[in-house]
Amino acid sequence: MVHLERRMRMNRVSTGIGSIDEKLGGGFPEASSVLLLSQTPSEKRMFAEQFIVTGVRNDETCLYVDFYRSPSFARSHFRRYGIMDEENLVIVDAVSAQVMAPSEEKYVVKDVLDMDNIRGVIQKAFEEEKPERVILDSLDFLVDRYPREIILDFWHHMMTLSKEHNSVFLTLFINWIMEKRELDALERTVDYLLEFRTKRMGKILMNLVKIHEDKELGIDESGWIPFTFESESGVVTYSPRIMVTGSANSGKTEFIQLLCSRSVEDEDGLKGEGVDRGKIDVSSVETEVFGVRGDESFASTFRLFSREVSGIFLILDSTKPEDIEKGREIVASNLEEVPLVVVANKQDLKGALTAEEIRKRMELPDTIPVVETSLTRDGDLCPALHSLLRLMGAA
Ligand SMILES: Nc1nc2c(ncn2[C@@H]2O[C@H](COP(=O)(O)OP(=O)(O)OP(=O)(O)O)[C@@H](O)[C@H]2O)c(=O)[nH]1
Ligand SMILES: [Mg+2]
């Protein structure tokens, strides 16, 4: 408990990604260790770069131990984040010697097959530069070349050095070789585990990160958080989005309110009157749901933002033939072929057309499901939701 209180009071080191800092309580605590882990290649490095760029801009000394990229190539990557004072970026060059190229860096590993050489160069860099932030890129490079005990010994040495110098230490690791038991042991030695993966949702390829924290901090692990790179801001997080559209009075608001009663968070009063917005959990990814009336201007506005939408519910009042005509236009304006499900609503009313009749009238291809609902009678959205998630590849 004393330990916990001490940790909570510690200075926080910003990751440079607003929503991640928020979840971490301001950033990683000083002197903490973080494992960036994935099972397949993913965008872990982008996260590490953002972390370094944030430090460099904050006038902190940042040490980047790179076994994979030449220093000039690494620096060109850092420049994508915009202007910064590169004086604060110290690269331990473990690449030039591998390709027998000269190096202009101050710290150079001459022989990556000599562990004493690696350890010596890094230790010297720690002692002379006293870095606030350190990246090891990466552990898998070493796993391919050294026996397990030697790597673990080296890695613990790195962690000790970081604690001594109050540095936040991030290690990148693609694990395709360690067994679960070994990996668990590795995870237990770090303060934070950040898991990365890449997943396709709709047409969008998402980079996802999930934060697991030191249990002593008493904070639960996060869901999967999608992130991307934007040239102005660097790494940013976002929510996938599902659009609910259809004619006036078809049941959009009712639909969103029922769907989002399973909402994970409600912090900005999402269920208020007239607010067509909510959040749901789609395979552990927080997904935004929003309503847009399918009126005259729909096709032209939709063209502008359709790429940012992962799925569409088209809600029809099944008793209104004019709704069905409007629905045809909406389907026709979905040029990007965003996954779409037609919801044949108000099935409880007399004269409601069946899903099959609607399919015929709209001349829908088999790839677009039509699902009957009666929101005010049973409010069962499961078949509609399941159909869309299947199309989005998320079910
Ligand atoms: N009988 C019946 N009424 C429904 C059903 N679904 C929605 N309604 C009713 O239809 C009316 C319109 O529903 P809303 O959810 O407000 O429709 P909307 O699409 O958001 O309408 P606008 O925001 O005006 O475009 C409300 O009175 C709902 O209670 C249904 O399945 N059956
Ligand atoms: Mg409405």
Side-chain angles (χ1 to χ4, degrees), residues 55-78:
V56 166
R57 291 206 175 117
N58 208 14
D59 217 16
E60 298 167 20
T61 302
C62 300
L63 194 66
Y64 200 104
V65 183
D66 206 326
F67 285 95
Y68 279 121
R69 302 175 299 181
S70 70
S72 62
F73 189 50
R75 286 185 203 281
S76 74
H77 269 209
F78 282 110

Side-chain angles (χ1 to χ4, degrees), residues 118-128 157-158 161 165:
I118 297 175
R119 284 172 82 131
V121 173
I122 297 176
Q123 176 153 358
K124 187 159 179 279
F126 259 104
E127 284 162 2
E128 292 178 355
H157 177 63
M158 292 279 290
L161 283 171
H165 292 86

